């Protein structure tokens, strides 16, 4: 039985630039939840483009994020989300009571080559798989 859009859990991934970690996490959650979770990502200081090494690392596992663009974090996005996963944005991430917050401590792939991004990608995938298991009943 598929969930209607109104009762799907929603997750917002936030990092500073919305160019690497949060983009990879959002792409994994979209792919692994098969539409059962509403997915957003944003950054407190969005970059001009998604990190090319993150794009390459995701392409290696069959996920295309070339069309994604970094987005600015809005209060509305936080309010509309059930789970907010922060990735190294510290005090710039807004906090709202009643939301489930997780802080994923991950290396920043900014300025790194794809070799350095692969282990970050794999750790993000592991955490997203765990999140899917918690949010989407089998």
């Amino acid at each position: 039985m598929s969930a209607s859009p109104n009762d799907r859990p929603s997750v917002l991934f936030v990092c500073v630039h919305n160019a690497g970690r949060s983009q990879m996490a959002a792409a994994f959650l979209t792919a692994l939840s098969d539409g059962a979770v509403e997915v957003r990502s944003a950054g407190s200081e969005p970059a001009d483009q998604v990190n090319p090494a993150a794009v390459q690392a995701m392409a290696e596992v069959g996920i295309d994020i070339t069309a994604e663009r970094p987005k600015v974090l809005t209060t509305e996005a936080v309010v509309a989300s059930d789970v907010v996963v922060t990735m190294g944005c510290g005090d710039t991430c807004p906090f709202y009571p009643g939301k489930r917050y997780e802080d994923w401590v991950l290396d920043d792939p900014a300025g790194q080559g794809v070799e350095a991004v692969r282990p970050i990608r794999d750790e993000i995938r592991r955490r997203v798989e765990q999140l899917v298991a918690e949010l989407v009943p089998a």
Side-chain angles (χ1 to χ4, degrees), residues 12 14 73-86 90-102:
L12 170 65
V14 182
L73 178 64
T74 64
T75 302
E76 293 77 21
V78 177
V79 170
S81 301
D82 300 313
V83 180
V84 179
V85 178
T86 57
D91 296 340
T92 62
C93 290
F95 182 85
Y96 291 90
K99 300 290 172 192
R100 173 179 161 190
Y101 283 86
E102 291 189 17

Side-chain angles (χ1 to χ4, degrees), residues 35-58:
V37 178
E38 187 178 352
V39 182
R40 299 178 182 88
S41 72
S44 53
E45 297 172 26
D48 297 334
Q49 65 178 14
V50 174
N51 180 335
V55 171
Q56 183 181 346
M58 293 302 285

Side-chain angles (χ1 to χ4, degrees), residues 5 22 29 42 87 105 134:
S22 55
L29 185 54
M87 303 170 172
V105 178
E134 294 168 12

